[in-house]
Amino acid sequence: MSHTGGADIDAYTEEIHSWHLDAGYSGIGYHFVIRKDGTIERGRSIWAVGSHAYGANSDSIGIHLSGCFTYNLPTEKQIESCAILIADLCE
């Protein structure tokens, strides 16, 4: 899992996609984005290799939680949605 870092913002999929394009990637590096309200948004297609974990992109799923968790915690709704998403992916 990854977090926005830097600023504690509620980044959305299209915003992250734009940041990653500007950084020279082919698009958003994550497969899923979980917003502060618990909404799960799709990033890259699940079958596409991600760009979120150097050396492990080809055998992992990238999940991004919006916000900066250096000094804050994810919201309860993010934690709940993340657990549900992981459980669904494991099935």
Side-chain angles (χ1 to χ4, degrees):
M1 279 182 279
S2 159
H3 68 118
T4 308
D8 191 28
I9 61 172
D10 190 20
Y12 55 95
T13 301
E14 287 302 318
E15 186 174 22
I16 297 169
H17 177 69
S18 178
W19 297 340
H20 287 187
L21 286 173
D22 289 346
Y25 298 114
S26 61
I28 189 166
Y30 313 108
H31 297 94
F32 298 95
V33 173
I34 302 178
R35 305 283 304 276
K36 288 180 175 257
D37 67 358
T39 301
I40 299 171
E41 298 178 350
R42 285 289 220 148
R44 285 193 182 195
S45 295
I46 199 77
W47 53 262
V49 174
S51 182
H52 57 277
Y54 183 75
N57 288 316
S58 62
D59 59 0
S60 61
I61 301 293
I63 302 172
H64 176 91
L65 275 65
S66 292
C68 179
F69 307 130
T70 304
Y71 303 106
N72 300 309
L73 297 173
T75 67
E76 289 294 322
K77 290 181 179 182
Q78 283 178 305
I79 293 169
E80 182 179 328
S81 290
C82 190
I84 291 167
L85 175 60
I86 293 170
D88 286 347
L89 291 169
C90 288
E91 287 184 8

